[in-house]
Amino acid sequence: MNKKYLIIIITFFISFIPNFIVLANNQNQEIIQEVYKNRKKINLCPDALVWDYAQTVSEVIKFNQQEYIVIFYCFLAAYQTNFSFVKYVKTNSGNQIELLKLDGFQENELGKLERTNVDNFAGFIYRDEKNPSILKIHTISGCAKNIGALATYKINGSNFTLLEYRAKTDCTDVFVEPENYPLIYRAK
């Protein structure tokens, strides 16, 4: 399918998103817009970008007066979002914007999972209410939403440390909760 038509279809479906999405405040919107303006320079959203969606749902996490992490949502696909993490640092000599690469796993050409750095994600983000420094990313890979991965990270400033990675790669009719996917990696 042509990317132009895909973006039009995605934009059409975004108009049906419920009204519970909270828009970011003005300072956050300024940061999101600056990241958007620098997207080509940092290779943000290389597959597609729906700006109306991105500016509405992207999030800014403030760590101190100068350092932020932007969870930049590129588009909404059939059943999950596409997003990246961007480090944003305010300095006197100009703002620094950097696309973050997180440790993760991807299938190689032999179908085996191997550790790699990832800068573009599909899935859902979950923050632990009891421990906000813990972030989970659940990616659905297909097979009636019954295969996928669950990555757990600890956030310390702009550093994301991979704590655990689980993946279910076999297609079965039995639904498995992501927390019960086979363990691929656990930090020591």
Side-chain angles (χ1 to χ4, degrees):
M1 178 180 281
N2 185 319
K3 282 187 182 182
K4 178 180 175 184
Y5 293 110
L6 177 63
I7 291 172
I8 292 169
I9 291 167
I10 292 169
T11 305
F12 174 77
F13 284 108
I14 287 172
S15 66
F16 293 100
I17 294 175
N19 293 326
F20 60 80
I21 296 173
V22 179
L23 292 175
N25 67 32
N26 287 341
Q27 182 183 14
N28 290 352
Q29 278 298 310
E30 290 172 12
I31 292 171
I32 291 167
Q33 289 180 12
E34 189 170 349
V35 168
Y36 170 76
K37 289 177 187 172
N38 286 278
R39 71 191 179 281
K40 290 183 181 173
K41 185 169 110 177
I42 63 171
N43 198 32
L44 178 66
C45 304
D47 296 326
L49 172 66
V50 178
W51 174 235
D52 289 343
Y53 178 69
Q55 71 178 350
T56 302
V57 299
S58 293
E59 303 172 52
V60 177
I61 302 169
K62 182 177 182 178
F63 291 105
N64 55 48
Q65 294 299 341
Q66 289 81 28
E67 191 173 355
Y68 303 82
I69 294 293
V70 178
I71 304 172
F72 196 93
Y73 290 90
C74 300
F75 60 89
L76 178 65
Y79 47 81
Q80 59 189 351
T81 59
N82 180 276
F83 57 93
S84 292
F85 296 94
V86 179
K87 179 179 178 180
Y88 181 92
V89 181
K90 290 184 177 183
T91 67
N92 291 336
S93 60
N95 299 328
Q96 298 173 356
I97 301 171
E98 173 188 354
L99 186 64
L100 294 178
K101 293 181 181 250
L102 281 58
D103 286 344
F105 287 80
Q106 289 184 330
E107 276 191 19
N108 62 20
E109 57 278 350
L110 301 174
K112 301 285 185 193
L113 289 173
E114 63 183 14
R115 193 163 178 166
T116 186
N117 289 316
V118 182
D119 61 15
N120 187 272
F121 301 86
F124 302 96
I125 299 174
Y126 302 99
R127 301 277 304 269
D128 188 329
E129 290 179 18
K130 295 177 186 171
N131 188 353
S133 68
I134 300 296
L135 177 133
K136 295 183 179 192
I137 300 173
H138 176 214
T139 301
I140 300 169
S141 299
C143 184
K145 302 179 187 174
N146 199 17
I147 61 175
L150 181 65
T152 303
Y153 297 92
K154 179 163 181 64
I155 306 171
N156 183 10
S158 61
N159 297 316
F160 288 67
T161 302
L162 181 63
L163 298 178
E164 185 176 273
Y165 191 89
R166 295 179 171 274
K168 182 175 180 299
T169 58
D170 59 323
C171 185
T172 63
D173 291 334
V174 179
F175 176 77
V176 176
E177 289 291 338
E179 292 82 13
N180 296 323
Y181 287 170
L183 182 64
I184 305 299
Y185 170 84
R186 180 175 284 148
K188 297 179 183 186

